């Protein structure tokens, strides 16, 4: 076959293919598309042809396994031997002898946890271990309001707030908290612990910077850990060290891309009991252009003329704090938590905060209880005054009169944290375990004399802290929670019992 014959044959074949293709439905449309595409953009036609050929090649390619079978095949005897040798890790840490002894002696209360509670054995004791500051557990008006709400709304919405869990009482509680604090908006969560641990990662992400007090509570630490942000710790309540850390962060980030930067601290520290110096922190926040997240879990409902927290107590404009986070389950005796701030801060959390998006909404009766308690704080100042008088009464019995312990709490804090004095710890060479054992004996001695107190439980070290940065550790202590449900005489008597129990245990251990 010469060249002319081959050319003629090729023309006939192409003509036959074209004839057959034109018989296919839609072929004319396809040809017009190709012609117009080639005329307008020939490069696009080439790319589309390449993608078409790649798709055909991919569909016609043989299947293959992505798992390489490079493991050694074991016999049944070898498998049985390995199974017998394998020891699973325990689901929980094995209890120490001290923990087992504590659990065996743990008191069990029967009925409400009021200022005078009844043990399972029938004995009535003075309860200064529960955070029932305003004796709201015994408030009959609150009980009746909660029962009415329960009959109207049921036990709980059984759905997340963003789906069908939000009810009118939730919106009212949010408005009441915002009005009480003086912020433009507020969002409520179903659980107090998960509030701050969701708020932090909702705003601070990987690459952002968090500067936090070394003594912040465990919920804050979990939020910081979840955020995966860069963490810088400063010494507890040390404004000078905070300024040093902020200055270092600003210099370090000067030539790097701009990131979000936060200062995280507490109003009343859960593990120490002392109070933050908010005006100075706000001043540093402005100077170094950081955002401030303030956890008022234990100061909201306690500090200030109406219980609005540390901002009211220290005369700081609440607008200077970017996020005010608090609990409705502690001093308020309801349930859940909240975050207050600007409307933009609040609306962002409705889609980005895990505990709000993926948890069932707060039960309606708890939301109603929170609103009622806030109204009581605004109209009945005697509640706050009576608690503060009992705090002073208990202080007079314990801190200046005990040779063994001192109180690390602020004078306004109804939770008194009593720790062994440094000279006592040094003289007796007590480690953390030794201090905990002594404190537990004090708790047992108080209970034997009709007063229930509790211990400050230990917590992990700072997350991601280098060895040189872990200088602060939680010192074990006793927790004494004051309440207006006790008279001044009853408070004095409880203080005397606690002081004598401490003295008896320490003299016995000489």
């Amino acid at each position: 076959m010469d060249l002319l014959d081959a050319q003629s044959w090729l023309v006939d074949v192409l003509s036959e293919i074209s004839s057959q293709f034109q018989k296919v439905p839609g072929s004319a449309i396809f040809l017009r598309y190709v012609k117009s595409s080639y005329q307008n953009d020939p490069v696009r036609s080439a790319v589309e042809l390449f993608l078409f050929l790649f798709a055909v090649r991919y569909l016609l390619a043989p299947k293959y396994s992505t798992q390489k079978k490079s493991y050694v095949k074991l016999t049944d005897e070898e498998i049985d031997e390995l199974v017998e040798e394998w020891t699973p890790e325990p689901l929980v840490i094995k209890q120490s002898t001290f923990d087992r002894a504590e659990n065996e002696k743990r008191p069990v209360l029967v009925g409400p946890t009021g200022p005078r509670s009844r043990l399972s054995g029938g004995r009535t004791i003075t309860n200064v271990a529960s955070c029932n500051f305003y004796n709201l557990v015994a408030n009959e008006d609150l009980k009746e309001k909660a029962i009415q709400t329960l009959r109207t709304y049921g036990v709980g919405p059984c759905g997340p707030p963003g789906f069908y869990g939000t009810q009118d009482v939730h919106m009212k509680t949010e408005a009441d908290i915002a009005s009480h604090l003086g912020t433009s908006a507020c969002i409520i969560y179903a659980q107090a612990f998960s509030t701050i641990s969701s708020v932090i990662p909702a705003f601070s992400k990987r690459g952002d910077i968090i500067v936090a007090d070394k003594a912040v509570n465990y919920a804050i630490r979990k939020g910081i850990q979840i955020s995966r942000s860069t963490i810088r710790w400063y010494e507890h309540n040390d404004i000078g060290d905070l300024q040093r850390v902020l200055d270092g962060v600003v210099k370090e980030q000067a030539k790097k891309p701009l990131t979000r930067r936060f200062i995280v601290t507490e109003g009343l520290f859960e593990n120490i009991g002392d109070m933050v110096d908010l005006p100075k922190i706000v001043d540093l926040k402005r100077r170094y252009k950081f955002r401030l997240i303030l956890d008022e879990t234990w100061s909201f409902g306690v500090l200030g003329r109406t219980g609005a927290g540390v901002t009211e107590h220290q005369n700081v404009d609440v607008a200077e704090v970017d996020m005010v986070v608090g609990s409705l389950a502690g001093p308020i005796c309801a349930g859940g938590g909240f975050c207050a701030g600007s409307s933009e801060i609040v609306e962002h959390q409705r889609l980005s905060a895990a505990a709000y998006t993926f948890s069932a909404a707060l039960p309606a009766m708890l939301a109603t209880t929170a609103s009622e308690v806030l109204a009581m704080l605004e109209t009945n100042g005697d509640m706050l005054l009576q608690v503060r008088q009992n705090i002073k009464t208990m202080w007079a019995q314990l801190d200046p009169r005990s040779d063994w312990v001192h109180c690390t709490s602020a004078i306004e804090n109804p939770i008194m944290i009593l720790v062994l004095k440094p000279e006592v710890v040094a003289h007796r060479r007590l480690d953390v375990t030794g201090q905990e054992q002594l404190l537990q004996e004090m708790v047992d001695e108080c209970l034997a004399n009709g007063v229930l107190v509790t211990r400050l439980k230990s917590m992990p070290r700072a997350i991601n802290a280098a060895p040189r940065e872990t200088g602060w550790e939680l010192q074990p202590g006793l927790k004494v929670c004051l309440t207006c449900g006790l008279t001044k005489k009853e408070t004095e008597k409880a203080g005397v019992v606690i002081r004598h129990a401490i003295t008896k245990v320490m003299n016995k251990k000489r």
Side-chain angles (χ1 to χ4, degrees):
M1 179 182 296
D2 56 13
L3 184 58
L4 292 176
D5 293 337
Q7 186 177 4
S8 177
W9 177 80
L10 182 60
V11 170
D12 293 339
V13 171
L14 293 176
S15 178
E16 181 64 23
I17 292 175
S18 175
S19 176
Q20 295 298 326
F21 180 75
Q22 291 176 0
K23 295 178 181 179
V24 177
S27 58
I29 298 174
F30 177 77
L31 288 174
R32 285 198 303 271
Y33 168 75
V34 172
K35 289 178 181 180
S36 62
S37 174
Y38 179 78
Q39 291 172 357
N40 296 333
D41 189 0
V43 176
R44 189 182 72 175
S45 298
V47 173
E48 290 178 349
L49 177 61
F50 171 77
L51 293 176
F52 174 75
L53 295 176
F54 177 79
V56 172
R57 170 68 179 81
Y58 179 79
L59 293 174
L60 298 179
K63 295 181 180 180
Y64 61 93
S65 175
T66 58
Q67 298 177 354
K68 295 181 179 180
K69 299 180 180 180
S70 58
Y71 55 83
V72 179
K73 188 173 182 180
L74 301 177
T75 63
D76 293 341
E77 292 78 8
E78 291 173 327
I79 293 175
D80 293 339
E81 184 178 351
L82 289 173
V83 170
E84 291 178 359
E85 293 177 353
W86 178 70
T87 303
E89 293 184 1
L91 296 176
V92 294
I93 299 175
K94 187 177 180 180
Q95 283 189 336
S96 64
T97 304
F98 173 68
D99 292 332
R100 284 197 298 271
E102 180 187 1
N103 289 333
E104 289 174 358
K105 294 185 292 184
R106 192 181 303 276
V108 179
L109 301 182
V110 178
T113 55
R116 285 168 289 276
S117 302
R118 189 163 62 90
L119 299 178
S120 56
R123 188 160 62 104
T124 300
I125 47 92
T126 300
N127 183 2
V128 288
S130 301
C131 300
N132 183 28
F133 306 143
Y134 306 116
N135 197 22
L136 297 174
V137 173
N139 190 297
E140 294 299 328
D141 293 336
L142 284 179
K143 290 181 183 179
E144 184 60 32
K145 188 71 175 179
I147 292 172
Q148 293 176 4
T149 306
L150 177 64
R151 288 172 176 166
T152 303
Y153 294 90
V155 176
C158 299
F163 188 26
Y164 56 85
T166 299
Q167 298 169 313
D168 55 350
V169 290
H170 296 132
M171 300 173 70
K172 181 180 183 303
T173 301
E174 291 178 347
D176 291 342
I177 296 172
S179 175
H180 191 71
L181 286 171
T183 60
S184 58
C186 175
I187 181 173
I188 59 173
Y189 290 75
Q191 188 189 29
F193 182 92
S194 62
T195 302
I196 187 67
S197 60
S198 293
V199 169
I200 292 175
F203 292 94
S204 184
K205 310 293 183 182
R206 187 191 296 273
D208 297 332
I209 298 174
I210 294 176
V211 177
D213 190 299
K214 284 187 177 181
V216 292
N217 60 55
Y218 190 62
I220 292 178
R221 292 175 182 273
K222 295 309 292 182
I224 291 174
Q225 183 183 25
I226 295 169
S227 73
R228 298 186 178 183
S229 302
T230 302
I231 307 167
R232 298 288 184 268
W233 302 94
Y234 67 93
E235 295 298 330
H236 171 59
N237 244 353
D238 189 334
I239 299 300
D241 192 56
L242 171 59
Q243 183 173 355
R244 177 190 64 82
V245 174
L246 295 178
D247 190 60
V249 169
V250 170
K251 291 180 179 178
E252 179 185 321
Q253 299 293 318
K255 296 183 179 180
K256 295 182 180 180
L258 186 63
T259 59
R260 287 165 292 201
R261 303 170 187 177
F262 300 88
I263 299 173
V264 180
T265 187
E266 295 182 70
L268 287 175
F269 286 85
E270 179 179 321
N271 300 312
I272 307 293
D274 54 352
M275 191 187 309
V276 68
D277 191 344
L278 191 58
K280 292 183 179 179
I281 288 186
V282 167
D283 180 61
L284 291 177
K285 168 231 172 187
R286 283 197 216 133
R287 188 189 312 174
Y288 291 97
K289 295 180 173 57
F290 273 66
R291 295 180 176 92
L292 176 59
I293 301 177
L294 179 65
D295 185 1
E296 295 220 55
T297 295
W298 296 108
S299 53
F300 180 74
V302 170
L303 298 179
R305 183 180 58 84
T306 62
V310 70
T311 54
E312 184 180 53
H313 179 72
Q314 297 184 355
N315 296 316
V316 175
D317 185 0
V318 72
E320 296 287 354
V321 182
D322 297 276
M323 282 161 267
V324 178
V325 182
S327 169
L328 301 174
I332 307 301
C333 280
F338 69 87
C339 178
S342 66
S343 56
E344 293 82 7
I345 289 287
V346 167
E347 293 307 318
H348 175 77
Q349 295 175 63
R350 298 196 191 277
L351 292 178
S352 301
Y356 185 86
T357 307
F358 301 111
S359 297
L362 184 71
M365 60 180 175
L366 296 181
T368 301
T369 300
S371 293
E372 292 295 319
V373 173
L374 291 180
M376 292 168 60
L377 289 173
E378 290 178 352
T379 58
N380 186 6
D382 293 340
M383 293 170 52
L384 294 161
L385 291 176
Q386 191 171 351
V387 171
R388 290 166 185 170
Q389 289 172 358
N390 283 350
I391 294 173
K392 293 178 181 179
T393 301
M394 185 64 78
W395 266 80
Q397 292 297 324
L398 294 177
D399 189 276
R401 302 182 65 177
S402 176
D403 297 329
W404 309 102
V405 299
H406 71 99
C407 182
T408 60
S409 299
I411 188 64
E412 300 87 353
N413 193 348
I415 300 178
M416 293 181 64
I417 297 180
L418 305 171
V419 300
L420 295 173
K421 292 183 176 180
E423 56 269 25
V424 175
V425 175
H427 178 69
R428 301 204 176 189
R429 299 178 181 178
L430 295 170
D431 58 5
V432 173
T433 303
Q435 293 179 59
E436 289 181 340
Q437 291 175 347
L438 279 177
L439 294 169
Q440 184 58 44
E441 291 185 27
M442 296 174 190
V443 170
D444 296 339
E445 182 65 25
C446 288
L447 183 61
N449 289 277
V451 177
L452 178 63
V453 297
T454 186
R455 286 192 301 113
L456 181 66
K457 301 298 192 268
S458 61
M459 59 179 281
R461 288 186 175 186
I463 305 296
N464 294 338
R468 61 183 176 83
E469 297 176 331
T470 53
W472 183 88
E473 283 190 10
L474 172 67
Q475 183 178 359
L478 295 176
K479 285 179 71 173
V480 180
C481 303
L482 282 305
T483 173
C484 65
L486 296 175
T487 63
K488 180 179 179 180
K489 186 175 181 180
E490 289 172 328
T491 303
E492 285 180 347
K493 183 179 178 181
V496 170
V497 170
I498 296 171
R499 189 178 76 249
H500 288 174
I502 293 171
T503 303
K504 181 178 179 180
V505 170
M506 296 305 296
N507 286 333
K508 184 175 63 175
K509 291 293 182 178
R510 283 187 176 182

